[in-house]
Amino acid sequence: MALYHKRVGNRTPQLLQSLSRFASDKEAEIETICNTNHQEFVTSVNQLLRIREGTVSLTAEILDLNQSIQASTEKLAEQKKALVESRSHRQNIDETSRAIQDCLEVLRLANQIHDLLARKNHYAALRALDELQNVHLKGVTKYKIADMIQRSVPATQKAIAEAVMSDLNTWLYRIREMSQYLGEIALYHTDLRKTRQKERADMTPYLGHFKLNSAIELVSDEHEEYDLLQNEELQVDFTPLFECLHIHQSLGHMDKFRSEYANTRRRQKELLIPPSITLVDEDGASLHNLLEEMAGFAIVERSTMKRVPDLRSPVDVSIIPCTCLLRQEM
């Protein structure tokens, strides 16, 4: 045992020497390795540092870009909001503009109605009023102007009715003034018809059995037809009567119109016959003038009844008997 420890103890220096040599070799190897890769390591470290610096710079730029994008997004959102509000304002402006145009059109038509009345275009005024009430006012019902004009429609209708009735009364007055002249023309042509009938009877005795205004006389004398109401000397235009009739019918005032027209003609008929008449004058002028006026009045009444049968009842019209009526009116 002592020998064994002696032998081991004698090999210790060798072991230490081997370990020292191994360590030296490894250190040399490590040193060699380090010397070989040192430059590449340093270069890699430098690259890594530069990359890190670039990363930091890029991160800063990304943060700045993110802030810029965020600011741009907020600005874009504000611009979009402003655009939406602008479009809303523009739409409101367009709607207001259209409303103003519609209201101006309503006012234009309302003024046009009064202009037409001033120019005595009663039927055109009535048509414009109907268009205003049934077309244009319906487009502006939500505005106060529509209610104001709608309330004025009855007054405008009344103004049209009164204006056309005033023109009709003027026409009736002129008809009344021309009655005597119309009767004079009628009596004159009646005398001519009598003369022609007598001449035909002298030539053909058979025709002497037929009186004036008989069918044979009318046929025999038809080539001498003479329109008492439309000729070179006198023209009686019934347009004012027709216009007044049509307007009152459109307004639904026919009963009132018939009553007013009948009263006017009744008063004119009463004024036709004087309180007294003299028959002692040499030429009988008073009676002759009265007959002419009666004849003219009767012709107008008969012509009116023929043109507008529903205007007055034949019972209410007292036609003055006269043989000088138009043959086409008989």
Side-chain angles (χ1 to χ4, degrees), residues 174-189 226 228 231-236 288-289 291-297 299:
R174 293 174 180 173
I175 291 294
R176 171 67 180 84
E177 291 295 313
M178 71 172 63
S179 292
Q180 182 177 352
Y181 184 56
L182 176 60
E184 180 182 351
I185 296 175
L187 291 176
Y188 171 73
H189 283 277
Y226 184 83
L228 292 175
N231 53 72
E232 296 179 357
E233 300 174 344
L234 183 66
Q235 293 84 36
V236 178
H288 189 72
N289 292 339
L291 290 176
E292 289 176 347
E293 290 186 1
M294 293 170 61
F297 187 89
I299 291 172

Side-chain angles (χ1 to χ4, degrees), residues 291-319:
L291 290 176
E292 289 176 347
E293 290 186 1
M294 293 170 61
F297 187 89
I299 291 172
V300 172
E301 287 288 77
R302 185 62 178 268
S303 299
T304 302
M305 288 292 296
K306 182 178 180 181
R307 286 171 170 79
V308 191
D310 298 333
L311 180 58
R312 298 175 67 188
S313 171
V315 178
D316 297 333
V317 179
S318 178
I319 300 297

Side-chain angles (χ1 to χ4, degrees), residues 116-236:
L116 291 171
L117 275 178
R119 296 197 299 267
K120 294 188 178 300
N121 293 334
H122 308 119
Y123 180 69
L126 183 64
R127 290 288 301 274
L129 179 62
D130 182 71
E131 179 183 352
L132 174 65
Q133 186 177 14
N134 296 322
V135 179
H136 296 278
L137 279 183
K138 291 184 177 180
V140 293
T141 52
K142 56 184 178 181
Y143 306 113
K144 291 184 178 180
I145 188 174
D147 185 55
M148 293 172 57
I149 294 181
Q150 184 65 43
R151 289 199 304 267
S152 69
V153 167
T156 305
Q157 291 176 340
K158 182 179 179 181
I160 295 175
E162 290 177 350
V164 74
M165 198 66 192
S166 176
D167 285 355
L168 179 65
N169 289 332
T170 301
W171 178 77
L172 289 174
Y173 174 78
R174 293 174 180 173
I175 291 294
R176 171 67 180 84
E177 291 295 313
M178 71 172 63
S179 292
Q180 182 177 352
Y181 184 56
L182 176 60
E184 180 182 351
I185 296 175
L187 291 176
Y188 171 73
H189 283 277
T190 300
D191 290 337
L192 293 181
R193 289 172 59 193
K194 289 180 180 179
T195 302
R196 289 193 296 269
Q197 176 67 5
K198 185 176 182 303
E199 292 175 353
R200 286 192 294 269
D202 292 341
M203 296 177 59
T204 307
Y206 174 73
L207 296 179
H209 295 88
F210 302 100
K211 298 180 180 180
L212 198 67
N213 287 330
S214 64
I216 297 298
E217 186 273 334
L218 292 175
V219 172
S220 301
D221 205 37
E222 61 183 356
H223 62 283
E224 298 288 346
E225 282 189 9
Y226 184 83
D227 191 342
L228 292 175
L229 300 178
Q230 294 292 331
N231 53 72
E232 296 179 357
E233 300 174 344
L234 183 66
Q235 293 84 36
V236 178

